[in-house]
């Protein structure tokens, strides 16, 4: 959670980006905003059980979101987008860990997460602010990625913590902006917060991205190129043109022969981002420069699966043993092994928005669906081989 000093800094920077006059922030206030509201329900896509696509249900009676904490805001959703985690959550992936996060003390009177709204990305307009929110106001255009333990964005409105929200890039429409927050923050977590790369130390570094044509991969290619890295993107042949357009220096077709052997012919790498997992982990770390601080970061981890299979305590223990043993094993070989996860962060979105507005990162959208076509959008994503994001135009009248 942001300190008050950090919040104040965001307020001043946000006002400058929005072009408004910023008053000195008031001291934190404990309390809730209690404003009268004429409606208690809203349209939403929900699931009432886990399963395949037939569990998706449209309702006009989803409970209207409420501000429970003074740092929260309510956003009117203009656009959302789908990510692979939405497919996984629809099927029950991570339910054990996410339910623990939703109600760690078991205080809720109803012991169920349903009806559950999926969707992590949102671009929209602030409708209401909690009492301690001084850096946004109703009417501000914002974007955010909502953590998976909260109700999602496939609704007319969604509630978010103020420190998860950022001003939308001025150069993007809501539909374009909704394609970026979740994949952007996931890539940012892996590359910057876990991998330690940034605009100051990335220039000239050789980076390999496995699974480069998906949402996280296309963002990562652009981010690393903006920071001056030499990027090798692994994708299928039909995505190589897209990779070159996004700035990749080399595009390797994983279907054109043994991928490991193809990559061994190239100079060694300083950093590897793995969006694929599986057998790639067995040989990918051999492609790193030894004893130079080179790092392998994977986004494919057994953390949530372990908790689903073994329960919270045993799952966390097994996860700790797994990552610990792999980290030590590879450290003795002269390379760093890391896991990374999506982390919600308004301040990181502030930095991403600056890169977008400066033209260094652009959205990559595969297809846009109307709000009435959400099940079709899930099927599209489930079919695989997308070139960019699947976006939902929530305010479309279609």
């Amino acid at each position: 959670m942001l300190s008050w000093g950090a919040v104040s800094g965001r307020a001043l920077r946000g006002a400058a980006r929005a072009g408004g006059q910023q008053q000195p922030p008031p001291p934190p206030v404990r309390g809730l905003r209690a404003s009268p509201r004429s409606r208690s329900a809203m349209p939403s896509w929900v699931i009432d059980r886990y399963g395949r696509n037939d569990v998706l249900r449209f309702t006009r009676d989803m409970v209207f979101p409420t501000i429970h904490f003074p740092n929260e805001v309510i956003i009117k959703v203009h656009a959302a987008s789908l990510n692979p985690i939405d497919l996984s959550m629809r099927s029950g992936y991570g339910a054990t860990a996410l339910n623990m996060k939703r109600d760690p003390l078991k205080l809720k009177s109803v012991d169920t997460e349903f009806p559950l709204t999926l969707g992590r990305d949102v671009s929209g307009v602030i409708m209401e602010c909690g009492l301690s929110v001084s850096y946004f106001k109703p009417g501000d255009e914002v974007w955010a990625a909502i953590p998976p333990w909260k109700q999602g964005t496939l609704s007319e409105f969604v509630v978010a913590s103020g420190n998860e929200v950022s001003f939308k890039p001025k150069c993007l429409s809501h539909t374009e902006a909704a394609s970026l927050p979740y994949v952007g923050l996931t890539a940012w977590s892996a590359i910057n917060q876990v991998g330690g790369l940034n605009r100051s130390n990335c220039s000239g570094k050789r980076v390999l991205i496995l699974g480069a044509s998906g949402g996280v991969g296309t963002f990562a290619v652009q981010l690393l190129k903006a920071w001056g890295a030499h990027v090798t993107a692994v994708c299928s042949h039909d995505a190589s043109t897209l990779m070159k357009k996004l700035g990749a220096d080399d595009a390797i077709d994983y279907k054109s022969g043994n991928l490991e052997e193809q990559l061994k012919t190239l100079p060694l790498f300083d950093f590897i981002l793995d969006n694929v997992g599986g057998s790639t982990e067995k040989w990918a770390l051999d492609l790193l420069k030894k004893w130079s601080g080179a790092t392998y970061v994977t986004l494919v981890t057994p953390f949530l699966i372990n908790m689903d299979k073994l329960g919270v305590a045993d799952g966390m223990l097994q996860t700790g043993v797994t990552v610990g043993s792999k980290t030590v094993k590879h450290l003795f070989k002269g390379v760093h092994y890391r896991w990374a996860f999506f982390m919600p962060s308004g301040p990181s979105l502030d930095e991403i928005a600056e890169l977008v507005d400066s033209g260094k990162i652009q959205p990559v959208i595969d297809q846009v669906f109307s709000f009435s076509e959400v099940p079709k959008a899930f099927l599209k994503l489930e079919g695989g081989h997308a070139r960019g994001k699947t976006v939902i135009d929530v305010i479309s009248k279609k």
Side-chain angles (χ1 to χ4, degrees):
M1 183 171 290
L2 295 175
S3 67
W4 181 247
V7 169
S8 300
R10 280 201 72 198
L12 295 172
R13 292 195 301 273
R17 287 192 59 214
Q21 297 296 318
Q22 176 67 31
Q23 299 297 322
V29 179
R30 292 185 63 84
L32 309 177
R33 182 180 300 278
S35 61
R37 189 176 290 128
S38 60
R39 44 190 302 193
S40 59
M42 64 177 178
S44 180
W45 284 94
V46 301
I47 61 173
D48 301 302
R49 66 186 191 281
Y50 296 120
R52 300 187 64 80
N53 214 47
D54 59 353
V55 301
L56 289 166
R57 173 176 67 88
F58 178 75
T59 177
R60 294 189 179 276
D61 299 317
M62 186 62 177
V63 176
F64 200 96
T66 302
I67 289 177
H68 291 288
F69 299 98
N71 70 327
E72 291 183 330
V73 299
I74 294 177
I75 302 170
K76 179 174 175 57
V77 181
H78 283 231
S81 72
L82 299 183
N83 297 280
I85 192 174
D86 294 306
L87 292 176
S88 300
M89 288 179 64
R90 187 196 64 187
S91 302
Y93 168 79
T96 300
L98 296 177
N99 283 337
M100 181 188 70
K101 181 69 175 177
R102 290 177 183 124
D103 188 18
L105 300 179
K106 301 294 182 183
L107 298 177
K108 292 183 179 178
S109 57
V110 180
D111 187 24
T112 179
E113 62 271 37
F114 303 115
L116 180 64
T117 303
L118 302 176
R120 309 271 54 92
D121 295 297
V122 57
S123 182
V125 176
I126 297 284
M127 188 193 85
E128 187 174 349
C129 299
L131 285 175
S132 70
V133 176
S134 61
Y135 38 94
F136 299 114
K137 65 183 185 303
D140 285 341
E141 294 191 327
V142 297
W143 64 344
I146 309 298
W149 54 86
K150 296 184 178 182
Q151 288 287 18
T153 61
L154 296 178
S155 286
E156 187 178 11
F157 296 91
V158 68
V159 67
S161 297
N163 57 6
E164 296 165 355
V165 180
S166 170
F167 289 104
K168 178 182 75 67
K170 295 178 182 178
C171 68
L172 298 185
S173 67
H174 286 294
T175 302
E176 292 169 328
S179 68
L180 286 172
Y182 187 85
V183 295
L185 289 173
T186 302
W188 191 276
S189 167
I191 295 168
N192 176 259
Q193 295 172 298
V194 175
L197 297 182
N198 56 58
R199 68 184 69 190
S200 301
N201 66 10
C202 202
S203 180
K205 281 191 165 53
R206 289 184 50 79
V207 177
L208 173 66
I209 301 177
L210 298 165
S213 62
V216 173
T218 54
F219 184 93
V221 169
Q222 296 180 85
L223 177 63
L224 289 160
K225 289 306 300 179
W227 288 348
H230 180 285
V231 175
T232 299
V234 174
C235 58
S236 61
H237 176 71
D238 60 355
S240 60
T241 300
L242 172 62
M243 293 297 101
K244 292 290 186 179
K245 180 180 177 182
L246 296 178
D249 299 280
D250 299 305
I252 307 298
D253 178 11
Y254 67 87
K255 294 181 179 179
S256 65
N258 184 291
L259 177 59
E260 180 182 358
E261 296 303 319
Q262 289 186 75
L263 292 173
K264 281 183 177 178
T265 65
L266 302 177
L268 294 174
F269 296 94
D270 299 289
F271 183 86
I272 296 175
L273 175 61
D274 188 354
N275 299 301
V276 178
S279 62
T280 59
E281 188 177 301
K282 296 178 181 178
W283 50 262
L285 285 98
D286 294 330
L287 304 174
L288 290 170
K289 298 175 183 177
K290 304 296 188 291
W291 308 109
S292 66
T295 303
Y296 166 94
V297 177
T298 181
L299 289 165
V300 184
T301 76
F303 175 59
L304 294 180
I305 294 176
N306 282 345
M307 294 183 73
D308 285 338
K309 289 182 176 179
L310 303 175
V312 174
D314 289 343
M316 292 182 70
L317 177 62
Q318 179 62 52
T319 298
V321 169
T322 300
V323 69
S325 61
K326 289 185 176 183
T327 299
V328 172
K329 169 187 171 183
H330 292 295
L331 190 60
F332 277 110
K333 295 181 179 180
V335 296
H336 297 288
Y337 174 93
R338 299 286 186 269
W339 288 358
F341 307 90
F342 159 77
M343 288 189 276
S345 172
S348 296
L349 281 177
D350 289 344
E351 296 192 57
I352 292 171
E354 291 178 7
L355 289 166
V356 173
D357 278 331
S358 66
K360 295 180 179 178
I361 290 179
Q362 59 182 305
V364 181
I365 297 174
D366 188 68
Q367 191 170 348
V368 179
F369 292 85
S370 69
F371 194 47
S372 64
E373 298 175 314
V374 164
K376 290 183 181 179
F378 270 84
L379 289 176
K380 167 69 176 177
L381 183 62
E382 201 164 13
H385 304 292
R387 298 293 173 257
K389 292 295 295 292
T390 300
V391 177
I392 310 298
D393 184 354
V394 175
I395 63 172
S396 169
K397 300 300 181 183
K398 181 178 176 182

